[in-house]
Amino acid sequence: MLLRPFSLIDIDPIASHNDKRKLIEEIVTDSRRTLSSRMTSVPRGAGLKGYEMRYSALNLVRNAFSGHRAWPVAWRKAAPQASYDVVIIGGGGHGLATAYYLARNHGITNVAVLEKGWIGGGNTGRNTTIVRSNYLLDTNARFYEHSLKLWEGLTQELNFNLMVSQRGVLNLAHTPGQLESYARRGNAMRLNGIDAELLSRDQVAAMVPRLDCSDRARFPVLGGLLQPRGGTVRHDAVAWGFARAADQRGVDIIEGCEVTAIRRNERGVVGLETSRGAVQAKQIGIAVAGNSSRVAAMADLHLPIESHVLQAMVSEPIKPVLDQVVTSGATHFYISQSDKGELVFGGDLDGYNSYAQRGNLPIIEHVIASALEMFPSFAQLRLMRTWGGIMDMTMDGSPIIAKTPVPGLYFNGGWCYGGFKATPASGWVFAETIANDAPHALNEAFTLERFATGDVLDERGAGPAPWLH
Amino acid sequence: MSQPFRIAAGGRIERDRTLSFTFDGRALTGCAGDTLASALLANGVHLVGRSFKYHRPRGIYSAGPEEPNAMVALGPTDTHTPNLRATEIELFDGLQAHSQNRWPSLARDVRAVVDRAAPLVPAGFYYKTFMWPADRWMTYEKHIRHAAGLGLASTGVDAAATYDRRFAHCDVLVVGGGAAGLTAALTAARAGARVIVADERPTWGGSLTAAPTTLDGADSRLWIASTLAELTERDNVTLLPRASVFGRYDQDLYGIAVRRPDGSPNDAAPRETLWLVRTQRAVVAAGAIERPLVFANNDRPGVMLAGAAQAYLNRYAVMPGRRAVIATNNDSAYAAARDLQAAGVDIAAIVDARVEPARITIDGVRHIPGSAVVAARGHSRVTGAAVAHLGSDGKSLDGAVEIIDCDLICASGGWSPTVHLYSHAGGKLRYDSDIAALVPRDELATLSVVGAAAGQFVLDRCFAAGAAAGRQAVAACGYGATVIDVPVCDGQAATPPRPLWHLPLARGHKGKRFVDLQADVTVDDVELAAREGYRSVEHLKRYTTLGMGTDQGKTSNINGLAILAETLNDPIDAVGTTTFRPPYTPVTLGTFAGRETGKHFAPIRRTPLHDRHEQAGAVFAPAGLWLRPHYYPRGGVDVQTASRREATAVRRSVGLVDVSTLGRIDIQGTDAAELLNRLYVNGWSTLAIGRVRYGLMLREDGMVSDDGTTARLAADHYIMTTTTANAGAVMTHIEHYLQLVWPDLDVRVASITDQWAVIAVAGPNSRATLQRVAGDIDFTNESLPFMGLAQGTFAGVPATVFRISFSGELAYEVAVPADYGPAVWDALMAAGESFDITPYGTEALGILRVEKGHFVIGAEADGRATADDLGLGRMQSTKKDFVGRRSLGRPALTAPNRKQLVGLRPVDAAAAIPAGAQIVEKPSLIGPVEMIGHVTSTAFSPEREGFIALAMIANGRARVGDQVFASSPLTDTLVQMTITNHVFIDPNGERLRA
């Protein structure tokens, strides 16, 4: 069954509650319809009552009486079949979202997602969970805004609480020049239909009481750019929610299955070799983030991508002290507080190229020093955990979601460190690109060819220097 | 001594030094050498905290960094440190501790109701609910956020909390100062190697101090003391107590957090120091951590690890209870029972899961083989243990449940080697079924694991392995062999443990069986996660939060993954383990920042003329690390008034501005001109000696990256000027090309920014001003024309004068050695006095350059503009190659609708132009609307008596004269504008050639 993808782009971002409710209801009705249609055809659903499938407060109570023994698996542990219409390589958020939207928007359900490890184990499970659409360039702004709008209804659509928490993303300005460039960006956002507010120092101080807005700081705060609809989403839940919803629509999610070769003939791709045997595929989509260069090389594609390690870290959990995501342009760090209470920090890349999912101390020292510069009262809190993820950095800081020179092979990657917030939109447009063998309007510009033609999307104006984006 | 549970003799405390402290306001006493945990136990205080999710009463569970329960806040409320483990806090006089995560009091915590509602809130419940109404999540979340978290962050900053950083190098880093570690250190030290030994405790000896041990026929204290004496004596050894080796990083760098002894708050030394130790070899002798037994209500205060009970007794002379039940699956708890019994604790029973006897027997104690404690009785303190016989599979019970009264349950589920640093280094683990533990699988090149950390639980093996590791390490570093006599000690193997990852529930004795005490994860949670498909150990961790607490699952890890393996019917090896991530134990944030706080966060760069600006009352603005005069508010006026006055002075008479911050690069060599040819878009072969030329640089992608003037001083000698912001980046860019791409060029470059003080003197009276200063430089137009340079003596100092102009006026830049800057500034101020010479700041500089239509890097050249976009397309030489040229041929760079540099004036001459506005054709403040360009710089022009702006507008040059709108929704302003040429004054450049 083919669903007409409704347009989300037309809805006013600062819509009233009613509009938002309507939007969510539309999405949910839509998904319920497809959910019920799938349930009749998925054999494993047989024998389970509908209420046991759905997540709700009522079902939590019902299951409590049976010791929660009736909950079904969130997604089946599928084994690879001989042949699929579409195989997505990479079981992160992007790959799973792509599979989900292939089924939901295009009725393509003979789909497998191949994941070498466990789903959501790459950057989906390693990011700092920030969602926002505060972009300057039109192409980026529209794409990420589409994503933010999808986030706003995704918990209900997937029937999985993703904890989409719009507590605001605040960029701090420390010089008049920075404030002016934030004004430029904020005005562009507003004129692209995205929410943005320019805040004075006093407004910033009132909003973020723990922030040191005094002149004691080395780089005193002058003001900031706020996107109220920005915020955080529970990252692991995104992988699980998409996996569960895609699985319910018949997608095979195959973990522990590493792709070792992409097979093709003169007409295009025909299948893959994996650690669990050969699989035929009419179309193949690559969504492997930090390993993009390695997987694309299996099809002799050489990408304008470098892999770098980016670290993130959390403090011990404390009671709420910070609502917003706060970033600083002068000191290169960002901070938020998770629902569990941990302060979550991030900063710059480690600098060197790497495929290792771990980094080194200089960046940690710098990020923490930056955090304490802005939030001196956090000095006695303690760092609990640090980790790293591999960033697929392109030469202009923007992603590639496109057809490739190999017929039947599609590429989604080059997310730099902005991939998480893009997850639903990325899946949405990548699914369409695969289904139609032609891009969606929102990813027309995210081509591979743009580096040859010069139509780059250099959001930061940093040039072909991946470590600067 | 009012410490009812303090034993009359023994321990390693200073009994005569009584220390006073408070816990939740209650005044108590302890002894020097106590931890807060041991002091609380000495006073019979067992209830010390509430758990994370269920708010269950919790006590002291361990005696070390693995403590999951006893978390307190330390210090006065406004500057306290939250989430500290009572087991790690050294007691000091006046210590104030508070319990956490409870309201209104520790004894009565209203959130404990969650414990009763537990069936409704299993693992991951929040993913299944709080979804409707759809706009209510933020409300639900607010409550969830307040319920979560542990302690409170202090509002103030503790002034005594200072931190520092230190770098060190050594041949051998030994982690852990117990039997194996000290032996390795001594072996390495005797060979002459540079050794650093770190241990997280304040005292040395490791597990030797937790139990009475005989070495060479004497108390182990003697061996520890003599070993330490020798290590202390040696110059090649550094001993670091209170030092947590928290992480291993690339190229054998170890991060160590070294604490100052607690209780010396007025000590001038930093509270904590980050040691960054680069070593050739590391010997990890970090010991092992005891595992809990997972039975019903195994979290009640009074349930304690057996090894911890033994440690409290032997280290601190504290009795953790009066009547104990020992629950174990291995031999180690027998030693604890023996010591407790000797100290007067009534051992009600030893309940051993094994049928075969332990190697140790204790007379007069009831021994219950093949059985287990299946539940603890009591609420805020243990009152008894429910004991039942285990079926042969370990998963069922046979026979009746017996209740044994007690106030202490000492549990031992075996020992987990501390393999964290080995894992940081990339080491993989294997499951050793003989000891039921994960141990290092492979040898690593530069790191060896010995002692209990390697699963060697027999003491004589630890000594031998320590000595061997020490010898191996020094040999690898090129030192000769040494001999060391290891002490003679107990070498008898224990009876193997019976793996027991969790215990079945007994009828009538239900209760939560905690796998992870801190994260409140139960057996049911793990099983639910497995049923729901969260079967990767990483999924299990993330879904249940197992091992994600501040103890990083030190006590829960293997039990959790073994229960998962059991549920899945997989071997433990196949389930694997989660990645151990640094830090091993939490490290204070301040430690990472060191001294780089406040104004010391980044260096402040001041120009050689900074004092003069201060004397002139300048208001400074940051420019990168630099401080530059923003404006000089004579008479306290605002920035607009001051900057307009300053700009007018330059246009009408003369002004001077400090431009020392511009980057300057000295370029010398026979290929210097060739280097410039390759870096800049324009040609340099024809530049005569004594002349200056403006140059434009591109990135590889063809976008303008920097600009500035370069002067030719001699045949092979040039001075390049860069923008302030890009001084470092341009230098790096040049070095990159010289080192990697053009190593054949005979040219050398050096940054000389800091060597010079440079003053720009601008305005129609600038020449007359310069001529009044004593010197031998001829400033006439003939001798020093526009874009010329002269060298000579000026104001008595050697100077180079460039005739260049940013303001558009007749102007000179006087460059002198940095130290002479103030004197030359003074000479210029004196010489220009009759012209009312006016210092001007960056704000006036901005007005002048906008009037003149000069673009700047960052605003107009924002990294997305080509030279042609900025109106300088014709500067690009067609006769040579240069960086970025290849990219210029790409179609998008010559596309018709690119944004081009233009000027803007408001249609209403009095209107102000909003900074950061976008240019639209449709007069709209509400999106979506098409934007055709954007305002890049705005200024009020005293010359034009109105606001002017520079802008980048699509196909702008062809649209001069068109009317558009500057739209700024952020400030709710919309201004109609006329597109103009970007040069607002003196378009033919007559003034600067005057």
Side-chain angles (χ1 to χ4, degrees):
Chain A
M1 135 185 191
L2 191 76
L3 281 166
R4 185 182 58 83
F6 51 85
S7 171
L8 284 165
I9 217 96
D10 298 330
I11 298 190
D12 180 14
I14 335 168
S16 66
H17 271 324
N18 286 341
D19 286 349
K20 192 176 159 191
R21 266 212 167 128
K22 223 171 84 187
L23 167 70
I24 292 164
E25 275 160 22
E26 188 182 346
I27 294 170
V28 171
T29 322
D30 218 15
S31 70
R32 271 189 183 147
R33 210 184 309 136
T34 37
L35 189 68
S36 54
S37 79
R38 276 266 9 132
M39 262 194 270
T40 53
S41 59
V42 177
R44 78 191 175 87
L48 284 169
K49 297 186 191 99
Y51 73 78
E52 288 167 326
M53 298 285 294
R54 278 195 70 75
Y55 291 165
S56 68
L58 184 62
N59 282 342
L60 260 180
V61 175
R62 284 177 172 150
N63 272 287
F65 290 109
S66 59
H68 296 282
R69 291 185 185 281
W71 293 113
V73 289
W75 64 94
R76 289 165 295 137
K77 305 287 140 183
Q81 306 296 306
S83 153
Y84 290 96
D85 291 342
V86 180
V87 168
I88 305 295
I89 308 174
H94 292 256
L96 294 164
T98 303
Y100 170 72
Y101 288 118
L102 275 170
R104 177 199 186 276
N105 291 352
H106 306 281
I108 300 170
T109 57
N110 185 20
V111 175
V113 177
L114 306 186
E115 167 54 50
K116 77 171 172 186
W118 38 283
I119 62 164
N123 295 343
T124 300
R126 291 166 186 273
N127 62 76
T128 46
T129 79
I130 298 165
V131 298
R132 58 185 174 89
S133 61
N134 54 355
Y135 279 77
L136 171 69
L137 301 182
D138 293 349
T139 310
N140 285 332
R142 288 170 194 157
F143 174 79
Y144 288 104
E145 178 59 12
H146 181 62
S147 208
L148 192 51
K149 289 209 179 98
L150 287 172
W151 283 124
E152 286 171 338
L154 208 54
T155 282
Q156 288 74 25
E157 162 156 5
L158 298 180
N159 179 232
F160 203 107
N161 191 349
L162 308 181
M163 308 184 190
V164 179
S165 180
Q166 295 176 291
R167 282 175 276 117
V169 170
L170 175 63
N171 304 128
L172 299 176
H174 305 265
T175 65
Q178 259 177 13
L179 207 53
E180 199 166 318
S181 78
Y182 283 161
R184 178 185 167 194
R185 176 145 61 100
N187 281 324
M189 288 165 63
R190 289 280 284 270
L191 293 173
N192 267 320
I194 300 168
D195 61 321
E197 289 168 28
L198 204 59
L199 304 185
S200 67
R201 183 202 285 218
D202 288 347
Q203 287 172 307
V204 168
M207 181 173 277
V208 192
R210 292 296 182 123
L211 180 67
D212 183 2
C213 285
S214 75
D215 287 329
R216 282 190 300 271
R218 172 67 180 86
F219 300 105
V221 173
L222 283 191
L225 180 67
L226 175 74
Q227 184 181 21
R229 287 166 58 246
T232 57
V233 174
R234 171 84 183 109
H235 57 0
D236 292 324
V238 174
W240 304 336
F242 271 123
R244 175 166 165 269
D247 174 78
Q248 285 173 350
R249 288 167 190 265
V251 170
D252 280 356
I253 293 157
I254 304 161
E255 297 176 84
C257 180
E258 184 172 3
V259 171
T260 53
I262 294 174
R263 287 192 292 121
R264 56 187 163 133
N265 61 23
E266 63 287 353
R267 288 192 303 280
V269 300
V270 295
L272 312 104
E273 301 291 340
T274 79
S275 57
R276 294 172 69 176
V279 174
Q280 288 181 359
K282 293 179 189 139
Q283 290 175 293
I284 296 172
I286 300 173
V288 295
N291 286 302
S292 287
S293 310
R294 288 170 165 173
V295 174
M298 295 178 191
D300 299 324
L301 290 178
H302 299 284
L303 302 172
I305 284 177
E306 286 181 10
S307 287
H308 287 255
V309 62
L310 177 70
Q311 297 190 76
M313 55 212 82
V314 293
S315 76
E316 295 181 339
I318 45 169
K319 295 294 179 190
V321 288
L322 178 67
D323 291 337
Q324 297 77 15
V325 176
V326 178
T327 84
S328 165
T331 59
H332 304 290
F333 95 106
Y334 46 96
I335 183 170
S336 65
Q337 188 175 15
S338 74
D339 283 350
K340 231 182 119 191
E342 300 141 335
L343 293 170
V344 184
F345 308 92
D348 279 343
L349 297 170
D350 266 31
Y352 48 89
N353 295 28
S354 175
Y355 284 115
Q357 288 174 318
R358 62 190 158 78
N360 282 286
L361 277 171
I363 283 290
I364 297 173
E365 292 169 65
H366 181 72
V367 166
I368 298 302
S370 302
L372 298 187
E373 170 65 5
M374 299 280 98
F375 296 91
S377 68
F378 293 168
Q380 287 153 251
L381 302 179
R382 301 196 294 173
L383 187 74
M384 185 169 79
R385 200 161 53 239
T386 72
W387 64 93
I390 314 167
M391 303 298 113
D392 33 334
M393 306 299 295
T394 58
M395 298 299 138
D396 64 355
S398 293
I400 299 163
I401 316 173
K403 297 172 66 173
T404 71
V406 181
L409 184 67
Y410 306 84
F411 179 77
N412 174 329
W415 286 103
C416 302
Y417 33 57
F420 177 67
K421 63 180 169 291
T423 306
S426 163
W428 184 287
V429 301
F430 196 41
E432 177 149 332
T433 306
I434 294 169
N436 298 350
D437 193 35
H440 184 282
L442 285 172
N443 68 315
E444 261 173 357
F446 295 132
T447 63
L448 260 173
E449 292 76 26
R450 70 179 189 268
F451 301 99
T453 62
D455 291 294
V456 294
L457 297 158
D458 194 346
E459 178 74 22
R460 288 187 58 182
W467 58 93
L468 294 179
H469 286 291
Chain B
M1 209 161 52
S2 62
Q3 297 160 26
F5 290 85
R6 186 78 70 183
I7 298 159
R12 296 173 190 226
I13 47 164
E14 295 176 53
R15 224 163 251 287
D16 304 333
R17 274 181 61 208
T18 302
L19 304 176
S20 301
F21 70 102
T22 64
F23 177 66
D24 277 345
R26 183 179 160 199
L28 299 165
T29 60
C31 295
D34 260 330
T35 61
L36 175 59
S38 67
L40 286 169
L41 290 173
N43 287 281
V45 177
H46 282 256
L47 173 63
V48 292
R50 289 276 171 172
S51 71
F52 188 86
K53 178 176 174 182
Y54 297 116
H55 289 253
R56 285 167 66 101
R58 290 288 168 82
I60 293 160
Y61 197 75
S62 75
E66 68 272 34
E67 176 61 35
N69 287 340
M71 315 269 289
V72 299
L74 190 65
T77 318
D78 57 336
T79 58
H80 73 214
T81 304
N83 298 349
L84 293 176
R85 278 175 263 282
T87 53
E88 289 184 299
I89 299 169
E90 292 175 55
L91 197 67
F92 57 88
D93 202 46
L95 177 148
Q96 300 174 36
H98 290 90
S99 59
Q100 305 187 138
N101 201 31
R102 81 287 187 275
W103 188 86
S105 72
L106 182 58
R108 295 179 201 284
D109 177 10
V110 296
R111 283 214 168 100
V113 69
V114 179
D115 194 25
R116 298 187 183 280
L120 297 176
V121 290
F125 75 98
Y126 31 70
Y127 299 120
K128 297 189 175 107
T129 183
F130 304 129
M131 290 188 269
W132 296 99
D135 54 2
R136 281 301 147 77
W137 163 245
M138 299 292 287
T139 312
Y140 295 129
E141 189 196 37
K142 202 173 146 192
H143 294 291
I144 292 170
R145 285 170 80 84
H146 279 91
L150 277 168
L152 295 161
S154 68
T155 49
V157 180
D158 183 352
T162 57
Y163 306 95
D164 209 344
R165 179 179 297 130
R166 147 157 210 186
F167 299 87
H169 294 81
C170 63
D171 297 311
V172 184
L173 170 68
V174 179
V175 182
L182 289 178
T183 308
L186 194 60
T187 311
R190 283 186 185 168
R194 295 169 304 158
V195 179
I196 293 177
V197 197
D199 193 289
E200 60 200 351
R201 287 182 208 282
T203 52
W204 298 93
S207 62
L208 293 175
T209 64
T213 312
T214 303
L215 300 178
D216 289 337
D219 190 314
S220 63
R221 288 171 203 233
L222 291 174
W223 180 83
I224 296 170
S226 71
T227 305
L228 271 180
E230 182 175 345
L231 290 174
T232 310
E233 187 80 1
R234 288 184 171 272
D235 293 338
N236 56 333
V237 178
T238 306
L239 290 167
L240 295 180
R242 300 183 177 87
S244 164
V245 184
F246 64 80
R248 189 270 187 196
Y249 298 89
D250 289 347
Q251 283 87 41
D252 299 290
L253 181 77
Y254 289 79
I256 310 179
V258 183
R259 302 188 309 279
R260 182 180 72 195
D262 288 330
S264 48
N266 298 321
D267 194 329
R271 175 173 285 183
E272 211 163 283
T273 303
L274 175 63
W275 280 59
L276 297 164
V277 175
R278 189 82 69 178
T279 186
Q280 295 206 62
R281 288 288 183 279
V283 176
V284 175
I289 293 169
E290 197 165 18
R291 286 199 290 269
L293 284 171
V294 182
F295 52 82
N297 297 325
N298 61 335
D299 64 324
R300 294 303 187 200
V303 180
M304 184 182 282
L305 291 171
Q310 190 182 17
Y312 284 115
L313 199 68
N314 292 316
R315 283 194 191 127
Y316 310 106
V318 167
M319 248 189 331
R322 304 267 186 220
R323 182 174 157 87
V325 168
I326 312 291
T328 187
N329 68 347
N330 70 91
D331 275 11
S332 69
Y334 285 78
R338 179 197 58 208
D339 295 355
L340 288 167
Q341 188 191 33
V345 177
D346 176 16
I347 305 295
I350 296 177
V351 185
D352 194 330
R354 301 170 297 182
V355 178
E356 61 275 31
R359 190 169 62 83
I360 313 172
T361 50
I362 302 169
D363 295 333
V365 170
R366 183 178 167 205
H367 179 248
I368 311 177
S371 299
V373 170
V374 292
R377 313 259 292 172
H379 181 73
S380 50
R381 182 71 197 270
V382 164
T383 59
V387 176
H389 192 263
L390 280 170
S392 58
D393 60 355
K395 292 171 187 163
S396 59
L397 302 176
D398 44 37
V401 175
E402 179 193 352
I403 307 295
I404 303 175
D405 289 343
C406 64
D407 62 357
L408 177 67
I409 298 176
C410 298
S412 179
W415 294 78
S416 301
T418 306
V419 292
H420 300 67
L421 292 170
Y422 169 82
S423 295
H424 295 176
K428 300 287 180 229
L429 303 175
R430 75 178 168 84
Y431 180 68
D432 182 342
S433 55
D434 291 344
I435 56 169
L438 290 165
V439 297
R441 189 185 71 189
D442 312 303
E443 290 280 319
L444 299 183
T446 56
L447 178 152
S448 57
V449 187
V450 296
Q456 294 150 353
F457 293 153
V458 184
L459 194 53
D460 72 333
R461 293 264 314 277
C462 293
F463 283 110
R471 273 195 300 273
Q472 224 173 40
V474 291
C477 299
Y479 294 91
T482 47
V483 182
I484 176 167
D485 294 326
V486 296
V488 177
C489 60
D490 182 2
Q492 206 177 329
T495 307
R498 176 178 182 182
L500 207 58
W501 310 117
H502 69 100
L503 289 150
L505 285 171
R507 190 183 298 271
H509 298 277
K510 302 275 191 259
K512 294 190 183 69
R513 293 169 291 172
F514 286 95
V515 182
D516 187 324
L517 289 150
Q518 193 182 89
D520 268 357
V521 178
T522 65
V523 174
D524 289 353
D525 290 331
V526 175
E527 290 176 349
L528 172 65
R531 276 200 303 279
E532 290 197 85
Y534 299 93
R535 291 172 191 166
S536 152
V537 66
E538 287 284 352
H539 282 156
L540 173 74
K541 163 181 138 186
R542 288 153 186 265
Y543 191 67
T544 62
T545 73
L546 175 79
M548 295 189 80
T550 66
D551 58 347
Q552 285 214 35
K554 289 185 179 68
T555 54
S556 66
N557 190 286
I558 189 165
N559 281 337
L561 65 93
I563 294 169
L564 177 69
E566 271 182 9
T567 311
L568 301 179
N569 266 325
D570 276 336
I572 287 173
D573 272 330
V575 168
T577 176
T578 55
T579 312
F580 291 109
R581 287 165 168 160
Y584 164 66
T585 50
V587 178
T588 311
L589 295 180
T591 307
F592 289 102
R595 296 169 182 235
E596 290 161 18
T597 57
K599 295 287 183 203
H600 299 297
F601 170 67
I604 296 174
R605 295 183 80 180
R606 296 181 177 86
T607 77
L609 302 166
H610 190 84
D611 289 351
R612 291 297 179 272
H613 304 317
E614 280 196 332
Q615 286 156 14
V619 171
F620 291 91
L625 297 177
W626 290 102
L627 282 181
R628 297 188 73 180
H630 188 202
Y631 61 102
Y632 300 81
R634 275 191 207 162
V637 298
D638 65 9
V639 59
Q640 281 84 11
T641 314
S643 60
R644 286 173 202 173
R645 170 178 50 71
E646 292 166 15
T648 304
V650 173
R651 295 273 180 242
R652 305 278 157 78
S653 181
V654 62
L656 77 177
V657 61
D658 181 357
V659 291
S660 307
T661 61
L662 293 178
R664 281 164 221 281
I665 298 169
D666 192 278
I667 303 173
Q668 298 190 42
T670 55
D671 289 326
E674 178 58 21
L675 173 69
L676 294 172
N677 265 333
R678 297 182 188 186
L679 291 172
Y680 282 126
V681 302
N682 45 334
W684 292 83
S685 314
T686 57
L687 182 70
I689 294 169
R691 299 290 296 171
V692 186
R693 183 167 284 173
Y694 172 76
L696 194 64
M697 257 181 229
L698 307 184
R699 289 189 313 232
E700 286 84 347
D701 65 350
M703 301 300 156
V704 172
S705 63
D706 205 60
D707 69 341
T709 56
T710 292
R712 189 170 191 185
L713 299 183
D716 295 350
H717 189 189
Y718 296 77
I719 303 281
M720 173 188 280
T721 308
T722 75
T723 57
T724 299
N726 281 337
V730 170
M731 188 68 195
T732 308
H733 178 69
I734 296 173
E735 287 285 10
H736 169 83
Y737 272 98
L738 284 180
Q739 292 181 32
L740 298 173
V741 188
W742 309 319
D744 51 309
L745 290 187
D746 172 32
V747 62
R748 289 158 303 285
V749 294
S751 168
I752 55 165
T753 308
D754 291 336
Q755 270 70 52
W756 283 15
V758 188
I759 303 164
V761 186
N765 287 322
S766 59
R767 180 183 291 130
T769 302
L770 292 170
Q771 283 170 335
R772 291 180 184 184
V773 176
D776 59 8
I777 297 173
D778 182 356
F779 293 102
T780 60
N781 220 5
E782 297 67 40
S783 205
L784 183 51
F786 181 57
M787 298 306 261
L789 74 84
Q791 289 183 295
T793 303
F794 183 79
V797 306
T800 306
V801 179
F802 307 89
R803 183 161 165 203
I804 53 179
S805 176
F806 192 50
S807 58
E809 298 298 324
L810 171 67
Y812 302 83
E813 279 186 19
V814 181
V816 297
D819 289 350
Y820 295 130
V824 171
W825 179 273
D826 293 343
L828 284 165
M829 288 297 290
E833 199 175 350
S834 63
F835 298 125
D836 193 19
I837 189 167
T838 303
Y840 61 102
T842 51
E843 189 70 20
L845 197 69
I847 294 175
L848 296 165
R849 71 98 188 164
V850 173
E851 286 182 331
K852 183 63 184 168
H854 283 314
F855 72 86
V856 293
I857 303 297
E860 289 76 27
D862 64 355
R864 290 174 286 257
T866 65
D868 185 64
D869 297 342
L870 298 168
L872 297 176
R874 280 187 299 173
M875 256 183 84
Q876 296 172 133
S877 170
T878 52
K879 298 183 187 129
K880 55 149 193 163
D881 197 9
F882 53 85
V883 173
R885 181 179 174 182
R886 194 190 58 160
S887 295
L888 297 176
R890 296 186 294 170
L893 274 69
T894 53
N897 221 26
R898 289 189 67 84
K899 285 184 181 179
Q900 294 171 333
L901 177 62
V902 291
L904 288 175
R905 297 216 60 184
V907 172
D908 168 6
I913 306 171
Q918 294 287 330
I919 303 298
V920 294
E921 289 185 292
K922 198 174 118 191
S924 176
L925 281 165
I926 297 167
V929 58
E930 191 192 356
M931 291 164 267
I932 60 167
H934 61 277
V935 172
T936 53
S937 308
T938 60
F940 179 87
S941 167
E943 283 286 288
R944 303 294 296 263
E945 295 179 334
F947 278 94
I948 57 173
L950 299 179
M952 298 295 288
I953 293 181
N955 200 24
R957 288 198 288 267
R959 303 194 53 178
V960 169
D962 287 1
Q963 296 202 336
V964 292
F965 292 88
S967 175
S968 174
L970 293 174
T971 53
D972 201 28
T973 41
L974 187 69
V975 184
Q976 192 170 22
M977 311 288 289
T978 307
I979 302 177
T980 68
N981 185 281
H982 63 285
V983 183
F984 293 93
I985 60 144
D986 190 25
N988 298 321
E990 284 154 10
R991 296 188 194 180
L992 37 81
R993 291 189 175 79

